[in-house]
Every structure is written in structure tokens, then in C-alpha cells.
Amino acid sequence: TRARSLHRSDMFDGPVVIDCRGHLLGRLASKVAKEAMCGQRVVLVRCEEVDISGSFIRNKLLYMSMLRKKMNSNPALGPYHFRSPSRVVWRTIRGMMQHKTARNQAALERIKVFEGCPPPYDKKKKMVVPEALRVTRLKPGRRYTNLGRMCSEVGWKHWEAVKTLEKKRIVKGEAYWAKKKEQIQTRAKAIAAAVKDPKVQKVQKILDGVEKAPVTI
């Protein structure tokens, strides 16, 4: 069998939703940049739960030193430093590509980033990137930094609001899953009961005969 590559036939069926919780920032950004450049649309949710390797105070000092970098004659002309986690993730992804070319400008437009998990993505299947997970890539006991906490200490003001909304979303999700589990069990019981029904068995024999019948052209 042929190995499945990035250019598989089902690649562009729809956007891939990635739950960023527990991922390392740089590794996740490189994977997302590659997928976007190949034409895949990617949505990143819960960007405030991304991790960065290294201690909190070290990463905070590094970020604060970057915030001081500006154009002396006219700071309004840049460089622009983002405070929200989603924009920090977006800028990291942008740094993984030659973003001034037409191809990579188009790739950046295929990427969406969000704090929390807003609708309609709260009801969509979410993926992870195994190669970028902290538990598989960072040695146990090593220090790491939560991006949401760091951003909240350098100017981002919505961390508490996002945490409140996430708690509400998780409660709603648990209620939805409990209801869906009940529906799955009810359907399984109905199928099991239908298989034992003599009327269904009679019709099933006819259908099996039709499926096995040769087709003539």
C-alpha cells in the first residue's frame, strides 16, 4: 500500500480544527504552517492553553524585552507586538514561512486562530498534533510556560472572561454527550430487537438474495 502524504485526496474536504491545549508553540506552528502552505484550511482553538518550553519568568522577561523594540522616529510604523495568545500563535506561524510571497499570503488566509472555543467550532470534531504535544516532546520535570498566563501579565485583559466561558462550554458539552450516549444506547437496543423480529428476518433474506444476484448488461 502507498503511504499517505500531505497531498492525500481527502486533504481539502474541510477545515481541520485543532485543540491547542497541551501543545508546544514552536512545534505546533511549524506543522500548521506546512499544512496551510499545502492548501489545507486550519482552525486553532484554545490558543491560551498553548505551552512554551522554559520557565515562566524567563519567557516573560524575553517577551517584555521584545515589547521594547520599536521604531525610534515613528513607533506607529512598527514593529507591532501582539498581547493576545491567538495573535501570538498567529505571528509564530507567520514566522515559519516567507509571508511576503503571494503563496504564503494565501496560506495565512487559510489559518484562523481563537481564544476559547467559539461557535460553530465548539460542536466540531477537534484534532491534536502528536508530534507537537508537550507530554511527548518535553522531558518530565522540565519547566514550561502557559501562554495565556504570560499574555495576561503583559497586557492581555480577557483571560478571566475566557476561562469563565470555557467552564460554561464544558458543562454544556457534558450534558450534550450524556444525551447523545443515551440516544446511541437506545438505537443499539432497537437494532438488536429488530434483528430478532421474524418480519425483518424475512425481508433481510430477500435483500441478501438481491445483493448476491449476478448483474447482466
Side-chain angles (χ1 to χ4, degrees):
T1 58
R2 189 173 62 179
R4 298 181 72 188
S5 67
L6 288 173
H7 302 284
R8 57 189 184 272
S9 59
D10 60 341
M11 184 172 179
F12 309 110
D13 287 346
V16 173
V17 183
I18 298 177
D19 184 358
C20 295
R21 180 175 179 270
H23 288 75
L24 289 174
L25 178 59
R27 291 181 180 273
L28 177 64
S30 64
K31 294 290 181 182
V32 172
K34 185 66 175 178
E35 289 286 315
M37 284 191 285
C38 289
Q40 178 66 55
R41 286 181 291 157
V42 184
V43 179
L44 302 174
V45 297
R46 296 214 283 180
C47 289
E48 75 280 359
E49 295 296 335
V50 167
D51 295 325
I52 308 171
S53 58
S55 67
F56 174 76
I57 190 64
R58 177 179 183 272
N59 285 312
K60 182 181 175 182
L61 290 174
L62 283 171
Y63 199 82
M64 290 179 74
S65 70
M66 187 192 73
L67 291 178
R68 290 194 295 271
K69 291 175 172 60
K70 58 186 178 181
M71 184 176 182
N72 277 341
S73 58
N74 191 354
L77 295 180
Y80 305 110
H81 306 299
F82 302 113
R83 267 73 169 183
S84 69
S86 61
R87 300 305 289 174
V88 171
V89 172
W90 179 86
R91 181 162 177 169
T92 307
I93 295 169
R94 192 188 73 173
M96 300 285 178
M97 55 178 76
Q98 296 176 348
H99 66 275
K100 293 187 179 183
T101 63
R103 178 199 175 192
N104 292 321
Q105 284 284 342
L108 279 173
E109 290 177 3
R110 296 187 202 107
I111 300 169
K112 292 183 179 180
V113 288
F114 298 99
E115 287 97 13
C117 192
Y121 306 112
D122 56 342
K123 294 182 180 175
K124 291 187 180 292
K125 183 177 181 180
K126 297 167 190 65
M127 305 291 189
V128 298
V129 182
E131 296 89 350
L133 288 172
R134 175 177 52 80
V135 292
T136 61
R137 287 298 177 179
L138 205 61
K139 187 176 179 181
R142 297 295 187 188
R143 295 176 181 178
Y144 61 91
T145 304
N146 177 264
L147 183 62
R149 181 191 168 196
M150 188 188 77
C151 289
S152 69
E153 296 197 14
V154 295
W156 184 50
K157 301 177 181 178
H158 306 292
W159 196 31
E160 292 300 324
V162 169
K163 286 197 288 188
T164 302
L165 290 170
E166 275 297 287
K167 286 178 183 176
K168 291 180 180 178
R169 183 188 66 82
I170 290 169
V171 170
K172 285 173 67 177
E174 288 174 350
Y176 169 79
W177 174 237
K179 185 179 178 181
K180 187 174 182 180
K181 251 196 317 191
E182 187 179 344
Q183 290 173 346
I184 292 169
Q185 291 171 357
T186 304
R187 186 172 184 273
K189 288 178 183 177
I191 291 171
V195 169
K196 297 176 183 177
D197 191 342
K199 293 181 180 179
V200 174
Q201 291 174 354
K202 184 178 179 182
V203 174
Q204 190 63 45
K205 286 180 182 178
I206 297 170
L207 293 174
D208 291 340
V210 170
E211 288 175 1
K212 293 175 184 177
V215 179
T216 56
I217 300 174

